[in-house]
Every structure is written in structure tokens, then in C-alpha cells.
Amino acid sequence: MTSRPSAVARALERIAQRDPALGAFIEVWPEEALAREPGARELPLRGLPFAVKGRTGIRSYAARRLIAAGGVPVGATSVPGPGTAWQTWGQGAHGRTVNPWRADRAPGGSSAGSAVAVAAGMVELATGSDGAGSVRIPAAWCGVFGLKTTNGLLPSPDASGLASAGVLARSAAVAEEYVRHVLPGFGEPAAPSLPLAAVYSEDLGFAEVDPKVAGVVRAAVDRLVAAGTVRLVDAACALLDPGRAWQAVRGGAARDPEAVAVRRANDERLDVLLAAAPLLLTPATPNRPHGHEGPGDLYSTALTWAFNLSGHPAASVPAGFTGDGCPVGLQLVAARGADVSLLGMARAVENALPTVRP
């Protein structure tokens, strides 16, 4: 009788089989992973295979915490190639990173390979970072769960303060393993009282959203209401377009008067909104995955980077697919520091939105 391959061995086998066509990994570490696994099995994560974003990801705070808890890193995932002016694609060891649902489309980024590795079942969990939507956009476009933590909650090398650590995972339940072992003082998310009071905004008051994307997200919200998971609160969400403010802060001009005014106004509006309801629902992206030639003039960040400026935790949950087979994400935003509560709410939303594959 042959023994069943270990979790790490199975993950490495899936990577060897699937990654040549998908380009999710820059590097794979089979010898190191298999050598690390026996000792890791005695720890809380019991040798859970995971991937890290980019070659430097193995040195991140999150990766070190996961390893200490018994996670086993199996490889580094792709990020945008050098010299590119856009951040929604990846370049792996086997070439460009492709969307598992539409090979002619990009996977989103910059946590491109992490999203693809999870979506293709190579690993259940991968680290990411999010400075403008770099976890939530690929999560939405690859049909997986993605979480951006509250800005400043975890160490980040980004001097601008816009980027925060995040995770891409098969589900919110799997993402809890990341948060449980990475977030100091983690408390188990209590099952939220349903229905969740929520505000829905298609465009945050300023964005132009693809009608097909908006239709999928609105249908998902309607299913949440019908299931008794969500109760919509009649409150408007009218933020100022944060694009120029984000660019100013990213460029080192955090005290630019226009940027300061936009951040202050949006912070005040979000405070009022999240006092009326603990959850804000929006599309994760205004557009579908674009082709490998680039996004053109489209900003896939239009609905995400407001929350990098404000610092709120935000997640993307699979909402469904457009008629041409592109995944769409539903963005969930909660109050600053409410990361654990957000995970609990995301689990409730996922339970009411079983993924229907095209």
C-alpha cells in the first residue's frame, strides 16, 4: 500500500503540471519546502503550503510569521516585469502570467502570480501587498478571495503609507489562517448577526463602471438581500475621485493641498457612511480583465485606491462571471481596524454566493 503524498508534495506536483501554461511562479523551491515540511507538521499550520509575492516576499513580515506557525513556502509568485508602466500583469519563469479563466486576458496585479496560483489550485493561500488595489484587483479578475488589511496594521516597506499587507486565498475561511497567525492580537471572528446592514454603491460617486460588471455585482447584492444576509441601508456614497490625490501621495507630496483636501473630505464621508452601516459594498473593479497588450486608458484602480488613501480594510469576494467568462469581484469595505469583523462578514457573504462557474 503506497502512502498518500504530503500536502507540500501535492502542491509541488500541481505547480509542475499547471505553471508552464500559466506563468504564476518566478521561482519554485521543492528541496527547501520538502525539507521544511516534517518539522512544520508539529506547528499550528501543520505544513500548509503557501506562496509568497515576488522574490522579496519570503523576507516579508507575513511570510516569516506564517513560517513560524508551520506554513511551508513553496515558491515566489510573479509580479509585473521590469520597465512596465502598468501593474496589472505578471512575468513568470515560463513567460507572461495568464488569467486561468481567459488565457487571452491579464490576471490583474501587482499580486498577479499569487492570485493565479490560488485560482488554479496550486496553493490555497498566497501573500500579497496592496498599494492601490494590488490584492483586490487580481482577486476579482481571477475569482478568488483577497484581503487588504488596515493600513499600518502590519509592517510595510512602503514609505508613502499607501501599501498594506494582504492575502489571496481560496476562501475567506482560508484567509483566516493567514490573519490568525500574522495579525497581532487576533480574535476569532464571531458569526455576524444577519442581515448585515450595508450600503451599496456602484461607482462611489465618480467612477465609470462597465455595465456588464455592474450587472453581475448588482445581481450578487440582490442575492445577498434575498438570502437574508444583507439589508441595504438607504445612504448615498459620494466620494471625491481620489486619483490625483493618490498619485500625489505616491510621488511624495502627501501635503499637497488638493491631496489633503480630498483625503479629509473622503475620510469624513466614509466615517458617516460606516457609522450608518458596518459594511460598504461596491464592485472591486470598474472593468473586466484586459488583454496582454495593456490596459490603455482604463484605470482598474478606480474603485480600490480610495481605501488605500483612507486606510480602511477591504476585501474582494467572487461575485460571478460576465457573459464572456470573466470573473467579477464584489468589494467589501469596513471600518479601520475591523479586519477580523470584515472576515466574518466576508464568510457570511461567501456562504450566500456559491460560485457558479461559466
Side-chain angles (χ1 to χ4, degrees), residues 8-9 12 27-38 72-75:
V8 169
L12 291 169
E27 297 175 353
V28 182
W29 310 313
E31 293 83 5
E32 297 94 324
L34 290 168
R36 192 190 297 269
E37 186 177 23
V72 176
V74 294

Side-chain angles (χ1 to χ4, degrees), residues 132-133 137 203-204 206-209 239-243 282-287 298-307 331:
I137 293 166
D203 58 9
L204 295 179
F206 61 83
E208 294 184 13
V209 180
L239 302 184
L240 301 178
D241 187 340
T282 79
T285 67
N287 53 339
L298 294 173
Y299 278 89
S300 56
T301 55
L303 297 167
T304 51
W305 54 4
F307 309 109
Q331 182 171 223

Side-chain angles (χ1 to χ4, degrees), residues 168-195:
L168 295 111
R170 181 172 54 82
S171 66
V174 174
E176 282 181 21
E177 294 297 327
Y178 169 96
V179 176
R180 180 176 292 111
H181 297 289
V182 172
L183 183 64
F186 173 86
E188 293 293 330
S193 178
L194 302 180

Side-chain angles (χ1 to χ4, degrees), residues 240-344:
L240 301 178
D241 187 340
R244 291 180 63 181
W246 185 94
Q247 291 166 346
V249 174
R250 188 66 167 179
R255 296 184 180 180
D256 174 82
E258 181 182 355
V260 170
V262 168
R263 294 184 84 170
R264 181 181 296 119
N266 282 352
D267 284 354
E268 291 172 353
R269 296 176 192 191
L270 286 167
D271 287 345
V272 170
L273 196 70
L274 292 170
L279 191 60
L280 170 62
L281 303 173
T282 79
T285 67
N287 53 339
R288 285 171 274 189
H290 55 70
H292 293 282
E293 73 283 355
D297 295 329
L298 294 173
Y299 278 89
S300 56
T301 55
L303 297 167
T304 51
W305 54 4
F307 309 109
N308 296 90
L309 277 172
S310 69
H312 292 79
S316 179
V317 172
F321 293 80
T322 55
D324 57 354
C326 292
V328 174
L330 169 65
Q331 182 171 223
L332 285 63
V333 182
R336 297 180 194 86
D339 300 62
V340 174
S341 296
L342 178 59
L343 273 174

Side-chain angles (χ1 to χ4, degrees), residues 1-357:
M1 181 177 179
T2 58
S3 60
R4 188 167 182 256
S6 70
V8 169
R10 293 197 303 274
L12 291 169
E13 182 180 5
R14 290 191 296 268
I15 293 169
Q17 290 173 344
R18 301 171 190 176
D19 196 52
L22 295 172
F25 283 86
I26 301 170
E27 297 175 353
V28 182
W29 310 313
E31 293 83 5
E32 297 94 324
L34 290 168
R36 192 190 297 269
E37 186 177 23
R41 289 192 192 125
E42 306 302 317
L43 298 169
L45 285 176
R46 300 180 182 276
L48 174 73
F50 72 96
V52 299
K53 176 183 177 178
R55 290 186 175 90
T56 61
I58 193 65
R59 300 196 298 270
S60 69
Y61 174 83
R64 288 185 281 114
R65 293 284 294 176
L66 291 171
I67 292 168
V72 176
V74 294
T77 58
S78 68
V79 293
T84 179
W86 47 287
Q87 301 292 313
T88 46
W89 70 300
Q91 187 73 19
H94 300 286
R96 69 186 184 191
T97 309
V98 305
N99 192 304
W101 296 101
R102 288 278 306 262
D104 63 329
R105 303 294 176 94
S110 61
S111 305
S114 288
V116 173
V118 172
M122 291 185 266
V123 291
E124 292 192 10
L125 183 151
T127 66
S129 58
D130 190 316
S134 290
V135 164
R136 289 161 288 162
I137 293 166
W141 285 1
C142 292
V144 299
F145 178 82
L147 171 69
K148 177 197 88 71
T149 56
T150 297
N151 291 41
L153 192 64
L154 295 170
S156 170
D158 178 33
S160 73
L162 293 171
S164 58
V167 60
L168 295 111
R170 181 172 54 82
S171 66
V174 174
E176 282 181 21
E177 294 297 327
Y178 169 96
V179 176
R180 180 176 292 111
H181 297 289
V182 172
L183 183 64
F186 173 86
E188 293 293 330
S193 178
L194 302 180
L196 298 165
V199 174
Y200 172 66
S201 175
E202 177 182 302
D203 58 9
L204 295 179
F206 61 83
E208 294 184 13
V209 180
D210 178 341
K212 299 295 185 183
V213 170
V216 171
V217 173
R218 182 71 225 201
V221 171
D222 289 344
R223 293 202 303 275
L224 293 174
V225 172
T229 303
V230 161
R231 173 179 61 84
L232 293 182
V233 174
D234 186 15
C237 180
L239 302 184
L240 301 178
D241 187 340
R244 291 180 63 181
W246 185 94
Q247 291 166 346
V249 174
R250 188 66 167 179
R255 296 184 180 180
D256 174 82
E258 181 182 355
V260 170
V262 168
R263 294 184 84 170
R264 181 181 296 119
N266 282 352
D267 284 354
E268 291 172 353
R269 296 176 192 191
L270 286 167
D271 287 345
V272 170
L273 196 70
L274 292 170
L279 191 60
L280 170 62
L281 303 173
T282 79
T285 67
N287 53 339
R288 285 171 274 189
H290 55 70
H292 293 282
E293 73 283 355
D297 295 329
L298 294 173
Y299 278 89
S300 56
T301 55
L303 297 167
T304 51
W305 54 4
F307 309 109
N308 296 90
L309 277 172
S310 69
H312 292 79
S316 179
V317 172
F321 293 80
T322 55
D324 57 354
C326 292
V328 174
L330 169 65
Q331 182 171 223
L332 285 63
V333 182
R336 297 180 194 86
D339 300 62
V340 174
S341 296
L342 178 59
L343 273 174
M345 292 187 282
R347 287 191 70 167
V349 167
E350 281 186 342
N351 290 339
L353 291 178
T355 303
V356 178
R357 305 299 187 190

